[in-house]
Amino acid sequence: QVQLVESGGGLVQTGGSLRLSCAASGRAFSRYAVAWFRQAPGKEREFVALSWSDGRTYHVDSVKGRFTASRDAAKNTVYLQMNSLKPEDTDVYYCAANTLGGLYVRATEYDYWGQGTRVTVSS
């Protein structure tokens, strides 16, 4: 079992930055891939970025160059650094984990989820 707790959301102006954290508890977390998703009201959860256990990362085109996923193995924490934020980045952000090694972008492919943290970007 893995428990995930997000933090770091908040209100920021356009062009600002936030760093989201996803702290994990549980055994062997280093084996898990951790993804970031976001969700607006009434919409499906949207895949944003992925941090694999070996340190590789993947980011969707809409956030590439602005968002950076990373992990600190010693702290069992995965981060999403978000720069140059836009109003359309306003969403609830979730981290999710699985032990699969490939590029999985659907929410149903993840076994463990955090509670979400809200990001609001004002124009």
Side-chain angles (χ1 to χ4, degrees), residues 38-52:
R38 61 187 181 186
Q39 187 172 27
K43 293 189 177 181
E44 291 189 357
R45 221 159 266 197
E46 174 191 16
F47 173 81
V48 175
L50 178 60
S51 168
W52 280 286

Side-chain angles (χ1 to χ4, degrees), residues 36-67:
W36 289 95
F37 286 79
R38 61 187 181 186
Q39 187 172 27
K43 293 189 177 181
E44 291 189 357
R45 221 159 266 197
E46 174 191 16
F47 173 81
V48 175
L50 178 60
S51 168
W52 280 286
S53 59
D54 62 3
R56 292 177 298 131
T57 58
Y58 176 87
H59 305 80
V60 296
D61 286 345
S62 61
V63 306
K64 198 171 293 182
R66 299 190 300 123
F67 292 10

Side-chain angles (χ1 to χ4, degrees), residues 58-104:
Y58 176 87
H59 305 80
V60 296
D61 286 345
S62 61
V63 306
K64 198 171 293 182
R66 299 190 300 123
F67 292 10
T68 303
S70 63
R71 65 169 61 199
D72 185 332
K75 295 183 178 180
N76 268 8
T77 301
V78 175
Y79 302 100
L80 185 66
Q81 177 67 44
M82 306 188 297
N83 299 326
S84 302
L85 283 162
K86 305 175 182 180
E88 51 264 42
D89 295 319
T90 295
D91 272 323
V92 177
Y93 284 71
Y94 298 87
C95 62
N98 68 24
T99 56
L100 305 175
L103 176 58
Y104 293 94

